[in-house]
């Protein structure tokens, strides 16, 4: 038996030796055919892991021996010469590549000749996309490039989702550009200026400055520009005019000079947008109400004193107004299975004028000391006028109440804040960090309220005719000290102390306009004081492919609230604790997995504790519960990402589970006259929880010209609430409702952008929405949802382009709403490129050409369901002209 085992092992060893093969060839200078002695020959597997390596001899010849069959990437490199890459399929015979001729970089003027580029690489927990591997048309913008990247979606209004998560930050070469609105960058930075796009989860600003991980992760995109694009001028100008007296004008201009960046943006329109997307064919562009928007922004960045001082500052101005009409239809299912149906109409007018200034100074004092200062200021004026009316009846149509209200209000607000951070690097891997910050805010308001509420059952009327004067003022001071120590090459330990004090006053005086008497029921004089002191600890371990972070924050909090109008005097002292654990493992250069856990306490607010709060109208009253206890929230998240360089495929799987023990739930009492009283209570022995799972897979088709994306998403939510109806059979009893909601969606998309024949971006999705309540089971329903969209651009002769965007969505009927909602529109645009460089575009656009868009919206939660209809304009026509200007001044050595 022992000999038999040895014979089998010997057989497999001999088979393996004979199944291995070799590669030979010769590396030459393409210019003169001279051998490139000592050129590096590298063979990578499909995970970009180095498997075989050798150098060329004096004749330029090389030989790689004993290669296991499989798919490989061959790299040939030589100093100051172009990189040669090719895909090799090893079977069971030797391969002779003969002569490999590569160019000297001095003979390559503006482009590097590469036979194969690596579109995606994984660097730690950062996914890096090579922009040159994803084609876009001439004069395309960054958002067009992002739509081509696997795992990315960009909505018509510029919201970015990457790997199933919303992107909150967009950096240009690691710095914010128009930081108050990241959409400005993706809408205006040219796609041909981009070298790399990096996607990663950034720690919170507080964690980065203090060195103490708080567990917060921000989905972030960093755009690395080409060297030639870091010096130049670029921008665009656009003018639109159309039917219904519509118009829009947009301007963006930027000048980059290495470290200096200057940008301005301006727009004015009556189409309801303040982000320069008026007339975008990718949106349905429904115009809500009668809007008028004016916006201006400026951004400045530079480095001074030999790059020791970095300055980033921007200013924004917005003047927005609108007039609109709306109708709402609400159904509230009561515990006795009856229904309250409320129909409401409103006419409103609003306007806001705001200014904002943001600045960031980063100063490196020497090689060991660094100061970071952020300072922001905002001020705004607001006006609002609202005329509303609502009618409530039971399920049989019997009238219960009627409410009419006219409200006119003006307000102004001001705020400023700063944050100063000092960091000192000590010896032996140690560092010291000090932070001081302050945030001050103030607002004044005046509201004139005139309302009449009629209750049909007892034939009574409640009238309010008041002027309410409000004044709010607050100041938050915070500071922290942190010490970090690198114990060895793998372990780092950080300890810190933090102090925070906040004081705010919130005053509202309601004066009856008839009697000139003070009304305490609608008034408040609240003073809020909070003091927090905390100790932080952070532990990190990093070794090769594995990284783990552990942080814990323990606080002692003192909180006080006083309201002299209602004799409220609350105070409390308690301990609070937050725990975060994060682990990342790089399985290979193309596969990565990450796990995280967070535990936080949900502390009831004073608004939830305060026994009696000022009313807003006779139909609603908020009552607090001073006996509320804290709840504990647990969150578990996991992410897996993998890609194949040879196949060009990418897969991302991320999941999340969050549950709250001893949750604070809402208690709603519906009175017989339809008025509601809301309060809160801890629910023992139950948990509110939700979970989600997202799967995204991308693969190239048609020789990598087409991206085929597939996705699956499932979300589940389980929550509780108490409800009671004073007029029902269960009078005087609260019933516990368990609301469950599950949404499952499947989707896919195909997109191509090569500027030949036609480009397209096609997508579809379908799914189900399951809503379940424990106390009104006859209204539980499963509805189908789905949709499809197609964006197609035809490239016609004589520099004409035809664009069309077709959209359709379906929302199925439910037990309460018997009719489905079908939304459909078609937008068409005809373009003509003019000028030699095709930088100017003339356009004719038609929106919702069949006038088929359905403006009905539907939503629901727990036992409340609603449909709404707004005043919108969907069908209109526009003519426009747009000029893209661009002049790169940097060296083209990318």
């Amino acid at each position: 038996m022992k000999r038999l085992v040895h014979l089998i092992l010997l057989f497999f060893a001999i088979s393996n030796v004979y199944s291995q093969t070799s590669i030979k060839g010769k590396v030459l200078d393409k210019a003169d055919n001279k051998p490139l002695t000592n050129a590096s020959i590298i063979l990578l597997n499909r995970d970009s892991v180095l498997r075989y390596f050798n150098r060329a001899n004096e004749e330029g010849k090389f030989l790689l021996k004993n290669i296991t069959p499989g798919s490989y990437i061959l790299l040939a490199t030589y100093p100051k010469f172009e990189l040669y890459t090719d895909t090799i399929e090893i079977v069971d015979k030797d391969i002779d590549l003969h002569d490999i001729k590569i160019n000297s970089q001095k003979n390559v003027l503006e482009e590097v000749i590469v036979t194969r580029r690596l579109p995606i690489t994984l660097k730690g927990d950062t996914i890096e996309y090579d922009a040159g591997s994803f084609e876009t048309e001439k004069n395309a913008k960054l958002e067009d490039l992002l739509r081509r990247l696997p795992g990315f979606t960009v909505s018509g209004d510029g919201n970015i989702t990457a790997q199933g998560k919303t992107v909150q930050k967009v950096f240009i070469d690691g710095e914010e550009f128009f930081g108050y609105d990241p959409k400005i960058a993706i809408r205006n930075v040219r796609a041909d200026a981009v070298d790399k796009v990096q996607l990663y989860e950034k720690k919170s600003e507080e964690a980065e400055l203090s060195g103490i991980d708080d567990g917060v992760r921000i989905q972030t995109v960093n755009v690395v520009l080409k060297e030639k694009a870091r010096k130049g001028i670029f921008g665009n100008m656009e003018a639109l005019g159309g039917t219904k007296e519509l118009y829009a004008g947009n301007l963006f201009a930027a000048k980059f000079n290495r470290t200096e960046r200057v940008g301005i943006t301006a727009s004015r329109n009556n189409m309801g947008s303040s982000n320069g997307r008026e007339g975008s064919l990718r949106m349905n562009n429904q115009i809500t109400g009668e809007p008028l928007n004016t916006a201006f922004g400026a951004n400045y960045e530079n480095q001074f004193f030999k790059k020791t001082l970095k300055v980033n500052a921007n200013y924004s101005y917005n003047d927005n107004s609108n007039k609109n009409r709306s109708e709402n239809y609400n159904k509230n299912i009561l515990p006795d299975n009856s229904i309250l149906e409320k129909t409401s109409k409103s006419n409103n007018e609003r306007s806001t004028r705001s200014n904002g200034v943001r600045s960031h100074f980063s100063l490196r004092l020497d090689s060991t000391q660094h100061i970071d200062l952020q300072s922001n200021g905002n001020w705004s004026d607001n006006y609002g006028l609202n005329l509303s009316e609502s009618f409530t009846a039971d399920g049989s149509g019997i009238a219960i109440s009627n409410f009419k209200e006219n409200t006119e209000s003006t307000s102004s607000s001001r705020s400023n804040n700063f944050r100063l951070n000092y960091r000192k690097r000590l010896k032996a891997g140690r560092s010291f960090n000090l932070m001081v910050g302050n945030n001050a805010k103030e607002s004044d308001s005046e509201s004139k309220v005139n309302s009449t509420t009629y209750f049909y059952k007892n034939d009574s009327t409640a009238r309010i005719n008041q002027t309410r004067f409000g004044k709010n003022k607050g100041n938050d001071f915070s500071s922290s000290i942190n010490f970090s120590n690198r114990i060895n090459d793998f372990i780092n330990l950080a300890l810190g102390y933090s102090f925070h004090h906040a004081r705010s006053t919130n005053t509202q005086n309601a004066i009856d306009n008839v009697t000139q008497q003070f009304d305490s029921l609608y008034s408040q004089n609240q003073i809020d004081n909070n003091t927090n002191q905390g100790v932080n600890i952070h532990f990190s371990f990093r070794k090769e492919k594995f990284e783990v972070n552990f942080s814990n924050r323990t606080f002692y909090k003192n909180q006080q609230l006083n309201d002299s109008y209602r004799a409220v005097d609350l105070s409390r002292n308690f301990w609070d604790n937050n725990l975060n654990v994060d682990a990342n493992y790089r399985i290979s250069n193309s596969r990565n997995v990450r796990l995280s856990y967070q535990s936080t306490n949900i502390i009831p607010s004073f608004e939830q504790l305060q026994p009696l709060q000022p009313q807003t109208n006779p139909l609603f009253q908020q009552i607090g519960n001073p006996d509320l206890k804290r709840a504990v929230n647990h969150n578990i998240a996991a992410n897996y990402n993998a890609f194949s360089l040879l196949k060009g495929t990418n897969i991302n799987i991320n999941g999340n589970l969050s549950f709250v023990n001893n949750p604070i739930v809402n208690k709603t009492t519906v009175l017989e006259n339809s008025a509601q009283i809301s309060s809160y209570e801890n629910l023992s022995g139950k948990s509110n929880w939700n979970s989600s799972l997202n799967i995204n897979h991308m693969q190239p088709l048609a020789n990598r010209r087409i991206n085929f994306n597939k996705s699956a998403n499932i979300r589940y939510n389980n929550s509780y609430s108490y409800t009671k109806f004073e007029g029902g059979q269960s009078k005087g009893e609260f019933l516990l409702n368990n609301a469950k909601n599950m949404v499952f969606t499947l989707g896919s998309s195909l997109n191509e952008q090569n500027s030949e024949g036609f480009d397209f971006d096609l997508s579809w999705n379908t799914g189900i929405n399951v809503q379940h309540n424990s106390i009104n089971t006859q209204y539980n329903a499963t509805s189908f949802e789905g949709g499809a969209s197609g964006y197609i651009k035809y490239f016609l002769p004589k520099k004409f382009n035809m664009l069309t965007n077709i959209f359709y969505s379906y929302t199925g009927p439910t037990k309460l709403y018997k009719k489905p909602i079908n939304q459909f529109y078609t937008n068409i645009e005809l373009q003509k490129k003019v000028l030699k460089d095709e930088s100017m575009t003339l356009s004719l656009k038609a929106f919702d050409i069949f006038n088929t868009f359905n403006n009905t919206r539907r939503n629901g939660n727990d036992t409340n369901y609603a449909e709404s209809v707004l005043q919108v304009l969907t069908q209109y026509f526009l003519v426009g002209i747009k000029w893209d200007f661009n002049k790169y001044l940097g060296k083209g050595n990318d």
Side-chain angles (χ1 to χ4, degrees):
M1 182 65 182
K2 188 175 182 179
R3 291 183 179 180
L4 178 61
V5 172
H6 287 166
L7 286 174
I8 294 174
L9 292 175
L10 180 62
F11 172 77
F12 278 108
I14 295 174
S15 299
N16 186 56
V17 169
Y18 280 99
S19 66
Q20 292 177 335
T21 184
S22 64
I23 300 175
K24 67 178 181 178
K26 191 174 184 179
V27 184
L28 304 173
D29 186 338
K30 190 174 182 180
D32 53 17
N33 286 329
K34 289 184 178 180
L36 297 179
T37 304
N38 285 327
S40 298
I41 311 302
I42 303 168
L43 209 59
L44 307 176
N45 68 5
R46 63 173 55 240
D47 291 325
S48 294
V49 177
L50 189 150
R51 297 300 306 272
Y52 303 94
F53 171 82
N54 206 343
R55 291 189 180 273
N57 60 19
E58 293 181 354
E59 298 178 351
K61 296 179 180 180
F62 67 89
L63 178 65
L64 298 174
K65 299 179 180 179
N66 301 327
I67 303 173
T68 304
S71 298
Y72 296 91
I73 298 175
L74 177 74
L75 301 155
T77 69
Y78 192 77
K80 297 184 179 181
F81 273 69
E82 66 179 13
L83 171 69
Y84 173 87
T85 72
D86 197 7
T87 301
I88 302 292
E89 190 72 32
I90 303 296
V91 285
D92 55 356
K93 63 179 181 179
D94 296 340
I95 296 177
D96 188 353
L97 297 177
H98 302 291
D99 294 343
I100 297 177
K101 298 180 180 182
I102 56 180
N103 254 327
S104 170
Q105 288 182 354
K106 66 181 181 181
N107 295 326
V108 183
L109 298 179
E110 286 294 333
E111 63 177 327
V112 178
I113 301 173
V114 180
T115 59
R116 183 177 181 82
R117 304 185 69 165
L118 308 181
I120 307 174
T121 55
L122 191 63
K123 298 180 178 180
D125 57 356
T126 298
I127 304 174
E128 185 174 89
Y129 300 86
D130 176 71
S133 300
F134 302 91
E135 286 188 272
T136 56
E137 66 172 299
K138 197 170 184 178
N139 295 315
K141 300 299 185 289
L142 175 57
E143 64 178 341
D144 300 308
L145 172 62
L146 295 180
R147 288 189 176 98
R148 293 282 293 155
L149 304 184
F152 275 79
T153 59
V154 183
S155 66
D157 56 0
N159 293 317
I160 310 170
T161 302
Q163 312 298 358
K165 299 179 181 180
T166 300
V167 174
Q168 302 178 48
K169 290 284 187 180
V170 177
F171 295 139
I172 304 297
D173 283 335
E175 301 289 341
E176 283 191 303
F177 187 59
F178 285 95
Y180 63 88
D181 186 2
K183 295 179 183 179
I184 293 177
I186 71 164
R187 190 176 67 246
N188 294 288
V189 172
R190 296 173 61 89
D192 58 14
V194 179
D195 182 30
K196 307 287 184 184
V197 175
Q198 298 169 337
L199 175 67
Y200 59 95
E201 288 192 333
K202 176 180 174 292
K203 292 182 180 180
S204 70
E205 189 174 346
E206 182 179 353
E208 290 185 338
L209 291 174
S210 66
I212 304 295
D213 192 355
D214 56 8
V216 177
R217 293 295 183 269
I218 301 171
Q219 194 81 326
T220 303
V221 168
N222 180 47
V223 178
V224 181
L225 298 180
K226 296 177 180 177
E227 185 64 28
K228 68 178 182 180
R230 291 173 178 163
K231 185 176 182 181
I233 300 172
F234 67 95
N236 59 80
M237 301 172 63
E238 183 179 27
L240 296 166
T243 58
K244 311 294 183 181
E245 299 182 348
L246 298 175
Y247 67 88
N250 299 297
L251 167 68
F252 174 83
K255 179 184 178 183
F256 285 9
N257 187 9
R258 304 300 179 192
T259 60
E260 183 184 49
R261 297 177 183 175
V262 181
I264 61 170
T265 178
S267 67
R268 182 174 174 83
N269 70 83
N270 63 351
M271 298 174 62
S273 175
S274 59
N275 56 19
R277 296 183 183 276
E278 308 81 24
S280 170
L281 226 66
R282 289 184 178 272
M283 301 171 63
N284 62 351
N285 265 287
Q286 59 175 354
I287 299 173
T288 303
E290 302 173 27
L292 180 62
N293 301 313
T294 302
F296 173 79
N299 188 88
Y300 179 78
E301 303 172 40
N302 207 347
Q303 299 181 24
F304 303 94
F305 309 118
K306 298 181 180 180
K307 298 185 179 182
T308 59
L309 175 63
K310 294 182 179 180
V311 178
N312 187 323
N314 54 65
Y315 166 77
S316 64
Y317 169 82
N318 286 278
D319 187 354
N320 304 321
S321 63
N322 199 348
K323 297 178 181 179
N324 189 31
R325 297 190 303 271
S326 65
E327 296 181 3
N328 293 275
Y329 309 93
N330 178 273
K331 294 186 179 183
N332 186 5
I333 305 174
L334 302 176
D336 64 348
N337 295 326
S338 62
I339 298 178
L340 286 182
E341 297 186 356
K342 183 170 72 173
T343 302
S344 58
K345 299 179 180 180
S346 69
N347 291 269
N348 62 77
E349 178 181 340
R350 61 164 183 82
S351 65
T352 301
R353 180 177 297 172
S354 63
N355 296 265
V357 177
R358 294 160 51 101
S359 62
H360 186 184
F361 302 89
S362 181
L363 176 63
R364 179 168 52 86
L365 299 176
D366 54 37
S367 60
T368 64
Q369 299 182 86
H370 184 270
I371 293 178
D372 191 276
L373 173 64
Q374 297 181 37
S375 180
N376 307 312
N378 294 276
W379 58 100
S380 65
D381 296 299
N382 304 278
Y383 171 80
L385 175 64
N386 184 67
L387 310 177
S388 62
E389 180 179 1
S390 65
F391 175 79
T392 303
D394 62 17
S396 303
I398 300 175
I400 297 177
S401 66
N402 186 68
F403 175 75
K404 295 181 180 180
E405 183 178 64
N406 300 338
T407 304
E408 184 177 14
S409 63
T410 59
S411 65
S412 63
S413 63
R414 298 158 298 281
S415 67
N416 63 80
N417 65 79
F418 79 87
R419 182 183 182 119
L420 177 66
N421 192 82
Y422 169 77
R423 175 168 290 185
K424 169 70 174 178
R425 191 168 69 246
L426 307 174
K427 295 182 179 180
R430 299 173 181 175
S431 65
F432 168 80
N433 191 90
L434 172 66
M435 186 279 294
V436 176
N438 195 79
N439 182 16
K441 54 187 177 181
E442 185 177 359
S443 66
D444 298 281
S445 65
E446 179 180 343
S447 301
K448 296 180 180 180
V449 180
N450 193 333
S451 70
T452 301
T453 307
Y454 180 72
F455 301 101
Y456 289 90
K457 288 195 174 183
N458 58 7
D459 190 23
S460 63
T461 302
R463 290 185 173 88
I464 297 175
N465 186 359
Q466 295 178 344
T467 300
R468 299 170 183 171
F469 300 92
K471 187 174 183 62
N472 301 324
K473 190 173 184 179
N475 191 83
D476 294 1
F477 173 80
S478 59
S479 63
S480 66
I481 300 175
N482 298 284
F483 176 77
S484 179
N485 181 28
R486 190 177 71 241
I487 298 175
N488 55 40
D489 292 339
F490 311 114
I491 299 176
N492 190 80
L493 180 65
L495 300 173
Y497 166 80
S498 63
F499 174 84
H500 175 260
H501 176 73
R503 176 183 171 85
S504 64
T505 59
N506 187 344
T507 302
Q508 178 172 285
N509 295 318
I511 306 298
D512 191 291
N513 292 328
V514 178
T515 65
Q516 298 301 310
Q517 296 295 312
F518 173 76
D519 191 339
S520 62
L521 184 63
Y522 293 88
S523 303
Q524 66 177 3
N525 185 27
Q526 184 172 299
I527 301 175
D528 193 347
N529 278 287
N530 294 286
T531 301
N532 302 335
Q533 300 183 70
V535 178
N536 316 315
I537 182 172
H538 175 72
F539 171 86
S540 64
F541 175 83
R542 295 176 176 85
K543 187 174 183 181
E544 297 177 354
K545 298 182 177 182
F546 183 68
E547 174 184 347
V548 63
N549 294 281
F550 168 89
S551 65
N552 190 80
R553 297 186 169 206
T554 302
F555 300 95
Y556 182 73
K557 298 185 176 183
N558 175 270
Q559 298 180 340
Q560 296 177 336
L561 181 139
N562 176 272
D563 190 335
S564 60
Y565 289 172
R566 282 183 297 283
V568 174
D569 189 3
L570 301 176
S571 64
R572 57 181 177 177
N573 301 288
F574 58 91
W575 291 92
D576 189 15
N577 192 80
N578 298 331
L579 173 66
N580 301 284
V581 181
D582 181 90
N584 188 80
Y585 179 66
R586 182 164 53 88
I587 303 171
S588 68
N589 286 345
S590 61
R591 291 185 294 163
N592 186 80
V593 64
R594 180 178 179 179
L595 299 172
S596 66
Y597 168 77
Q598 297 178 33
S599 174
T600 57
N601 290 320
I602 301 175
I603 309 298
S605 65
F606 273 129
E607 285 73 17
Q608 294 173 316
L609 295 169
Q610 190 172 337
L612 185 61
Q613 299 183 28
Q615 284 189 243
T616 56
N617 64 65
L619 290 177
F620 180 80
Q621 183 177 1
Q622 182 70 60
I623 297 178
N625 180 2
D627 297 324
L628 283 179
K629 308 297 181 183
R630 75 183 70 184
V632 182
N633 180 63
H634 303 273
N635 187 80
I636 302 171
N639 178 272
Y640 171 78
N641 191 81
F643 63 88
S644 170
L645 295 176
L646 293 179
K647 295 181 179 179
T649 59
N650 171 252
I651 186 170
N652 180 271
I653 304 172
N654 62 76
N656 184 83
L657 172 64
S658 179
F659 56 95
V660 180
N661 294 331
N662 193 35
I664 300 172
V665 300
N666 193 59
K667 293 182 67 175
T668 301
T669 301
V670 180
L671 303 180
E672 198 170 14
N673 62 4
S674 77
Q676 294 187 13
I677 301 174
S678 178
S679 185
Y680 306 94
E681 185 171 307
N682 289 106
L683 182 61
S684 301
K686 302 287 185 180
S687 295
N688 285 347
W689 63 277
N690 63 78
S691 62
S692 65
L693 177 64
N694 300 283
I695 303 175
N696 298 279
H697 181 262
M698 176 270 178
Q699 70 181 89
L701 303 175
N703 197 26
R704 299 180 183 255
R705 291 188 301 108
I706 299 175
N707 283 341
F708 180 33
N709 295 281
K710 293 148 286 183
S711 65
N713 175 279
I714 184 170
R715 301 190 310 273
Y716 187 88
N717 183 74
N718 183 89
S719 62
Y720 293 88
S721 64
Y722 283 103
T723 185
K724 178 174 68 172
F725 181 40
E726 290 288 2
Q729 297 176 355
S730 57
K731 185 174 182 179
E733 297 179 6
F734 277 103
L735 296 181
L736 180 63
N737 181 49
N738 181 200
K740 300 177 182 179
N741 178 235
M742 190 272 288
V743 178
F744 175 70
T745 306
L746 290 174
S748 67
S749 67
L750 289 167
N751 65 74
E752 178 199 43
Q753 294 185 48
N754 63 2
S755 303
E756 296 179 2
F758 65 93
D759 291 345
F760 59 84
D761 189 351
L762 310 176
S763 64
W764 68 272
N765 65 83
T766 185
I768 58 173
N769 188 337
V770 181
Q771 292 184 328
H772 180 276
N773 287 287
S774 61
I775 63 173
N776 290 299
T777 57
Q778 72 272 29
Y779 298 110
N780 294 339
T782 299
S783 61
F784 291 92
E785 300 175 346
S789 65
Y791 176 82
I792 304 174
K793 184 173 185 177
Y794 301 91
F795 296 91
L796 306 174
K798 305 294 183 180
K799 298 182 181 180
F800 278 96
N801 298 327
M802 176 70 76
L803 298 83
T804 182
N805 187 33
I806 302 174
F807 174 87
Y808 173 75
S809 71
Y810 173 84
T811 302
T814 66
K815 297 289 183 65
L816 288 172
Y817 298 102
K818 304 298 183 181
K819 293 182 179 180
I821 298 176
N822 294 277
Q823 292 184 328
F824 171 73
Y825 65 83
T826 302
N827 302 336
I828 293 180
E829 178 180 357
L830 177 64
Q831 291 181 346
K832 166 66 175 176
K833 301 284 187 179
V834 296
L835 303 183
K836 185 177 180 180
D837 59 357
E838 302 182 11
S839 60
M840 182 173 288
T841 304
L842 307 178
S843 63
L844 174 63
K845 307 180 183 185
F847 293 88
D848 193 14
I849 58 175
F850 302 114
N851 200 23
T852 53
F853 185 75
N854 184 349
N855 189 41
T856 303
R857 303 176 184 180
R858 182 180 295 168
N859 60 74
N861 57 8
D862 288 343
T863 58
N864 285 281
Y865 302 86
E867 280 191 347
S868 63
V869 178
L870 297 175
Q871 172 196 352
V872 295
L873 172 65
T874 61
Q875 186 183 58
Y876 55 93
F877 302 87
L878 294 173
V879 294
I881 179 171
K882 185 175 183 179
W883 177 45
D884 283 280
F885 53 90
N886 174 50
K887 187 175 183 181
Y888 292 142
L889 303 175
K891 295 181 180 179
N893 60 348
D894 299 295

